[in-house]
Amino acid sequence: MRMSPKPIQSFRDDFTYSNSPGAIARFPFPFPEDEYMYSVNIEPHVTPGPEGSVYEHLLDIDEHYLSEMHERDLVLKENPKRCLAMPHMDLACWDMIDRVMTCFAADYPEHFSLEREGDHWTWENKLLNIKDSFTFGDSSTLPMPPMEYIGRQVQGDFALLDQRDGDLFLDAGIVTCPADWSLAFDAGMSFKEWHGPVPLAHGMGVFDRALKYLCAISQGRPVRRLNWTLTINARMDTSPETYPQWGTDRASVTPDNVGEKVHLRVELQVLDRMSRSNALMFSIRTYLISMNDLVTNPEWAKRMHRVMKSLPPELIEYKGLTRYHPMLVEWLSRFDPAN
Ligand code: HEM
């Protein structure tokens, strides 16, 4: 981590979340062109990636680490069902422990360490003051179930997909900051079932091709893609379960507060084959940036305007932007010299 974690900031109520200039500079801006449409935008996640970038390591941690871990704790206290693992996913959960701990200890040795003597493992997380010894594979030796244990120490949501009959099934996950979808609702569904609500992409064959690609991912060859939406306020937890708390935020956008209220929400999604269970680990690392911060980069500002202006109506509706989209386009237009 090039930036040290900041003291805890909030993703709710008073929304004290902010990005430092360094965090803005490394923000994964997701638009390579002036127009956006769904595609099979999957590429190899070759690590180490560019130094200091969000692609440097398998799993990126940054200045928001403590804030996100605090927010995860709040969400899990409110609703423990945001973390669930079907019994046949136990081995996959231990695979996740192995992969995360091994990578963190190698990639961020100043914060994490792992000692292994056979099945006897000792893990230290200096950021959260955790030091535990446990027997690998024996859940009774951890203070909580394995997926929750590791999920509370790593930024981003996680799903573990069981692969069988040429399909993927959402059989485990820890999901506390979703972009309007519910783990409890999608649990047990297949790849095309949980993608059911997405418009246009099914007809374009996106999910047929993506599924074939994913089923063929081999161990040690992770892949990644970016996904994006917009969120009002720096709210991490936009789940259907908490809709009453954030649904009305969309009506709070005015021409005067677009820059501060509207946030681009980018998900860096990494898919990684697990060694023992053959499950796929799917990590969804969410980055939030306010429009005010985004337009400090003139190229991003111009492109954001063009992408928003030309966004297909189906996507505007699906992503929940209908109410404030015209206001946003108008606000962004001042940053586009062609306007
Ligand atoms: C949306 C999960 C992989 C493309 C979604 C949604 C979920 C999801 C839960 C929200 C659907 C809803 O509205 O209820 C996953 C999981 C994956 C995965 C667990 C791991 C296997 C992929 C891949 C692609 C993809 C590889 C590649 C094309 C999309 C698209 C959307 C979507 C285009 C709509 C996003 C938007 O417009 O905001 N995904 N997905 N997904 N997914 Fe995936």
Side-chain angles (χ1 to χ4, degrees), residues 97-114:
I97 288 213
D98 181 356
R99 192 69 166 136
V100 174
M101 288 185 179
T102 305
C103 287
F104 272 15
D107 295 338
Y108 309 101
E110 66 279 36
H111 299 307
F112 307 99
S113 73
L114 178 65

PDB file of all heavy atoms in Angstrom, residues 97-114:
ATOM      1  N   ILE A  97      -9.222 -18.115   2.520  1.00  0.00           N
ATOM      2  CA  ILE A  97      -8.308 -17.748   3.614  1.00  0.00           C
ATOM      3  C   ILE A  97      -6.858 -17.877   3.147  1.00  0.00           C
ATOM      4  O   ILE A  97      -6.035 -16.974   3.311  1.00  0.00           O
ATOM      5  CB  ILE A  97      -8.558 -18.655   4.849  1.00  0.00           C
ATOM      6  CG1 ILE A  97      -9.885 -18.273   5.500  1.00  0.00           C
ATOM      7  CG2 ILE A  97      -7.380 -18.610   5.812  1.00  0.00           C
ATOM      8  CD1 ILE A  97      -9.950 -18.428   6.991  1.00  0.00           C
ATOM      9  N   ASP A  98      -6.556 -18.994   2.529  1.00  0.00           N
ATOM     10  CA  ASP A  98      -5.197 -19.250   2.054  1.00  0.00           C
ATOM     11  C   ASP A  98      -4.773 -18.164   1.057  1.00  0.00           C
ATOM     12  O   ASP A  98      -3.730 -17.520   1.202  1.00  0.00           O
ATOM     13  CB  ASP A  98      -5.157 -20.645   1.393  1.00  0.00           C
ATOM     14  CG  ASP A  98      -3.769 -21.012   0.890  1.00  0.00           C
ATOM     15  OD1 ASP A  98      -2.859 -20.172   0.970  1.00  0.00           O
ATOM     16  OD2 ASP A  98      -3.599 -22.145   0.388  1.00  0.00           O
ATOM     17  N   ARG A  99      -5.610 -17.935   0.058  1.00  0.00           N
ATOM     18  CA  ARG A  99      -5.237 -17.004  -1.019  1.00  0.00           C
ATOM     19  C   ARG A  99      -5.062 -15.576  -0.484  1.00  0.00           C
ATOM     20  O   ARG A  99      -4.084 -14.904  -0.804  1.00  0.00           O
ATOM     21  CB  ARG A  99      -6.327 -17.048  -2.100  1.00  0.00           C
ATOM     22  CG  ARG A  99      -5.958 -16.375  -3.394  1.00  0.00           C
ATOM     23  CD  ARG A  99      -4.871 -17.113  -4.159  1.00  0.00           C
ATOM     24  NE  ARG A  99      -4.789 -16.631  -5.528  1.00  0.00           N
ATOM     25  CZ  ARG A  99      -3.664 -16.361  -6.167  1.00  0.00           C
ATOM     26  NH1 ARG A  99      -2.499 -16.536  -5.563  1.00  0.00           N
ATOM     27  NH2 ARG A  99      -3.681 -15.941  -7.420  1.00  0.00           N
ATOM     28  N   VAL A 100      -5.998 -15.131   0.333  1.00  0.00           N
ATOM     29  CA  VAL A 100      -5.924 -13.747   0.827  1.00  0.00           C
ATOM     30  C   VAL A 100      -4.722 -13.587   1.764  1.00  0.00           C
ATOM     31  O   VAL A 100      -3.916 -12.662   1.624  1.00  0.00           O
ATOM     32  CB  VAL A 100      -7.236 -13.328   1.539  1.00  0.00           C
ATOM     33  CG1 VAL A 100      -7.082 -11.942   2.166  1.00  0.00           C
ATOM     34  CG2 VAL A 100      -8.409 -13.331   0.560  1.00  0.00           C
ATOM     35  N   MET A 101      -4.586 -14.516   2.714  1.00  0.00           N
ATOM     36  CA  MET A 101      -3.491 -14.364   3.679  1.00  0.00           C
ATOM     37  C   MET A 101      -2.133 -14.448   2.983  1.00  0.00           C
ATOM     38  O   MET A 101      -1.223 -13.663   3.270  1.00  0.00           O
ATOM     39  CB  MET A 101      -3.579 -15.439   4.762  1.00  0.00           C
ATOM     40  CG  MET A 101      -4.721 -15.207   5.736  1.00  0.00           C
ATOM     41  SD  MET A 101      -4.678 -16.420   7.069  1.00  0.00           S
ATOM     42  CE  MET A 101      -6.087 -15.866   8.037  1.00  0.00           C
ATOM     43  N   THR A 102      -1.998 -15.413   2.080  1.00  0.00           N
ATOM     44  CA  THR A 102      -0.706 -15.585   1.401  1.00  0.00           C
ATOM     45  C   THR A 102      -0.371 -14.338   0.584  1.00  0.00           C
ATOM     46  O   THR A 102       0.762 -13.838   0.615  1.00  0.00           O
ATOM     47  CB  THR A 102      -0.751 -16.843   0.495  1.00  0.00           C
ATOM     48  OG1 THR A 102      -1.142 -17.953   1.295  1.00  0.00           O
ATOM     49  CG2 THR A 102       0.591 -17.123  -0.134  1.00  0.00           C
ATOM     50  N   CYS A 103      -1.350 -13.828  -0.154  1.00  0.00           N
ATOM     51  CA  CYS A 103      -1.094 -12.637  -0.987  1.00  0.00           C
ATOM     52  C   CYS A 103      -0.829 -11.407  -0.127  1.00  0.00           C
ATOM     53  O   CYS A 103       0.094 -10.640  -0.407  1.00  0.00           O
ATOM     54  CB  CYS A 103      -2.278 -12.357  -1.920  1.00  0.00           C
ATOM     55  SG  CYS A 103      -2.355 -13.530  -3.254  1.00  0.00           S
ATOM     56  N   PHE A 104      -1.645 -11.203   0.901  1.00  0.00           N
ATOM     57  CA  PHE A 104      -1.452 -10.004   1.734  1.00  0.00           C
ATOM     58  C   PHE A 104      -0.068 -10.029   2.403  1.00  0.00           C
ATOM     59  O   PHE A 104       0.610  -9.003   2.472  1.00  0.00           O
ATOM     60  CB  PHE A 104      -2.546  -9.918   2.810  1.00  0.00           C
ATOM     61  CG  PHE A 104      -3.793  -9.193   2.352  1.00  0.00           C
ATOM     62  CD1 PHE A 104      -4.019  -8.938   1.005  1.00  0.00           C
ATOM     63  CD2 PHE A 104      -4.739  -8.756   3.268  1.00  0.00           C
ATOM     64  CE1 PHE A 104      -5.157  -8.264   0.583  1.00  0.00           C
ATOM     65  CE2 PHE A 104      -5.885  -8.074   2.860  1.00  0.00           C
ATOM     66  CZ  PHE A 104      -6.099  -7.828   1.525  1.00  0.00           C
ATOM     67  N   ALA A 105       0.326 -11.191   2.917  1.00  0.00           N
ATOM     68  CA  ALA A 105       1.625 -11.268   3.603  1.00  0.00           C
ATOM     69  C   ALA A 105       2.766 -10.963   2.613  1.00  0.00           C
ATOM     70  O   ALA A 105       3.748 -10.311   2.979  1.00  0.00           O
ATOM     71  CB  ALA A 105       1.807 -12.644   4.232  1.00  0.00           C
ATOM     72  N   ALA A 106       2.613 -11.406   1.365  1.00  0.00           N
ATOM     73  CA  ALA A 106       3.661 -11.155   0.365  1.00  0.00           C
ATOM     74  C   ALA A 106       3.594  -9.721  -0.172  1.00  0.00           C
ATOM     75  O   ALA A 106       4.622  -9.085  -0.385  1.00  0.00           O
ATOM     76  CB  ALA A 106       3.515 -12.143  -0.797  1.00  0.00           C
ATOM     77  N   ASP A 107       2.379  -9.203  -0.381  1.00  0.00           N
ATOM     78  CA  ASP A 107       2.226  -7.903  -1.058  1.00  0.00           C
ATOM     79  C   ASP A 107       2.291  -6.715  -0.098  1.00  0.00           C
ATOM     80  O   ASP A 107       2.660  -5.612  -0.504  1.00  0.00           O
ATOM     81  CB  ASP A 107       0.887  -7.854  -1.811  1.00  0.00           C
ATOM     82  CG  ASP A 107       0.833  -8.875  -2.943  1.00  0.00           C
ATOM     83  OD1 ASP A 107       1.923  -9.287  -3.397  1.00  0.00           O
ATOM     84  OD2 ASP A 107      -0.272  -9.265  -3.356  1.00  0.00           O
ATOM     85  N   TYR A 108       1.886  -6.918   1.147  1.00  0.00           N
ATOM     86  CA  TYR A 108       1.859  -5.813   2.133  1.00  0.00           C
ATOM     87  C   TYR A 108       2.520  -6.277   3.432  1.00  0.00           C
ATOM     88  O   TYR A 108       1.880  -6.309   4.497  1.00  0.00           O
ATOM     89  CB  TYR A 108       0.408  -5.395   2.415  1.00  0.00           C
ATOM     90  CG  TYR A 108      -0.433  -5.112   1.175  1.00  0.00           C
ATOM     91  CD1 TYR A 108      -1.340  -6.059   0.690  1.00  0.00           C
ATOM     92  CD2 TYR A 108      -0.337  -3.895   0.507  1.00  0.00           C
ATOM     93  CE1 TYR A 108      -2.119  -5.806  -0.447  1.00  0.00           C
ATOM     94  CE2 TYR A 108      -1.102  -3.631  -0.622  1.00  0.00           C
ATOM     95  CZ  TYR A 108      -1.991  -4.585  -1.094  1.00  0.00           C
ATOM     96  OH  TYR A 108      -2.758  -4.332  -2.207  1.00  0.00           O
ATOM     97  N   PRO A 109       3.817  -6.657   3.350  1.00  0.00           N
ATOM     98  CA  PRO A 109       4.465  -7.254   4.538  1.00  0.00           C
ATOM     99  C   PRO A 109       4.540  -6.303   5.722  1.00  0.00           C
ATOM    100  O   PRO A 109       4.717  -6.752   6.856  1.00  0.00           O
ATOM    101  CB  PRO A 109       5.865  -7.621   4.025  1.00  0.00           C
ATOM    102  CG  PRO A 109       6.059  -6.818   2.783  1.00  0.00           C
ATOM    103  CD  PRO A 109       4.713  -6.539   2.204  1.00  0.00           C
ATOM    104  N   GLU A 110       4.412  -4.992   5.468  1.00  0.00           N
ATOM    105  CA  GLU A 110       4.459  -4.050   6.590  1.00  0.00           C
ATOM    106  C   GLU A 110       3.197  -4.154   7.447  1.00  0.00           C
ATOM    107  O   GLU A 110       3.176  -3.723   8.593  1.00  0.00           O
ATOM    108  CB  GLU A 110       4.675  -2.610   6.094  1.00  0.00           C
ATOM    109  CG  GLU A 110       3.555  -1.986   5.266  1.00  0.00           C
ATOM    110  CD  GLU A 110       3.541  -2.387   3.780  1.00  0.00           C
ATOM    111  OE1 GLU A 110       3.871  -3.547   3.444  1.00  0.00           O
ATOM    112  OE2 GLU A 110       3.147  -1.545   2.951  1.00  0.00           O
ATOM    113  N   HIS A 111       2.133  -4.724   6.897  1.00  0.00           N
ATOM    114  CA  HIS A 111       0.861  -4.789   7.630  1.00  0.00           C
ATOM    115  C   HIS A 111       0.427  -6.213   8.026  1.00  0.00           C
ATOM    116  O   HIS A 111      -0.350  -6.370   8.968  1.00  0.00           O
ATOM    117  CB  HIS A 111      -0.260  -4.182   6.778  1.00  0.00           C
ATOM    118  CG  HIS A 111      -0.047  -2.739   6.437  1.00  0.00           C
ATOM    119  ND1 HIS A 111       0.216  -1.775   7.382  1.00  0.00           N
ATOM    120  CD2 HIS A 111      -0.038  -2.095   5.244  1.00  0.00           C
ATOM    121  CE1 HIS A 111       0.366  -0.605   6.790  1.00  0.00           C
ATOM    122  NE2 HIS A 111       0.225  -0.769   5.505  1.00  0.00           N
ATOM    123  N   PHE A 112       0.876  -7.200   7.251  1.00  0.00           N
ATOM    124  CA  PHE A 112       0.353  -8.562   7.471  1.00  0.00           C
ATOM    125  C   PHE A 112       1.491  -9.579   7.482  1.00  0.00           C
ATOM    126  O   PHE A 112       2.462  -9.435   6.734  1.00  0.00           O
ATOM    127  CB  PHE A 112      -0.607  -8.960   6.333  1.00  0.00           C
ATOM    128  CG  PHE A 112      -1.710  -7.967   6.085  1.00  0.00           C
ATOM    129  CD1 PHE A 112      -1.613  -7.039   5.048  1.00  0.00           C
ATOM    130  CD2 PHE A 112      -2.845  -7.950   6.881  1.00  0.00           C
ATOM    131  CE1 PHE A 112      -2.623  -6.108   4.810  1.00  0.00           C
ATOM    132  CE2 PHE A 112      -3.867  -7.022   6.647  1.00  0.00           C
ATOM    133  CZ  PHE A 112      -3.760  -6.101   5.615  1.00  0.00           C
ATOM    134  N   SER A 113       1.333 -10.623   8.308  1.00  0.00           N
ATOM    135  CA  SER A 113       2.306 -11.715   8.222  1.00  0.00           C
ATOM    136  C   SER A 113       1.613 -13.053   8.444  1.00  0.00           C
ATOM    137  O   SER A 113       0.566 -13.130   9.115  1.00  0.00           O
ATOM    138  CB  SER A 113       3.436 -11.512   9.234  1.00  0.00           C
ATOM    139  OG  SER A 113       2.953 -11.773  10.532  1.00  0.00           O
ATOM    140  N   LEU A 114       2.194 -14.073   7.852  1.00  0.00           N
ATOM    141  CA  LEU A 114       1.626 -15.424   7.943  1.00  0.00           C
ATOM    142  C   LEU A 114       2.758 -16.414   8.182  1.00  0.00           C
ATOM    143  O   LEU A 114       3.745 -16.423   7.440  1.00  0.00           O
ATOM    144  CB  LEU A 114       0.901 -15.771   6.632  1.00  0.00           C
ATOM    145  CG  LEU A 114       0.290 -17.162   6.539  1.00  0.00           C
ATOM    146  CD1 LEU A 114      -0.846 -17.336   7.553  1.00  0.00           C
ATOM    147  CD2 LEU A 114      -0.242 -17.430   5.125  1.00  0.00           C
TER     148      LEU A 114
END
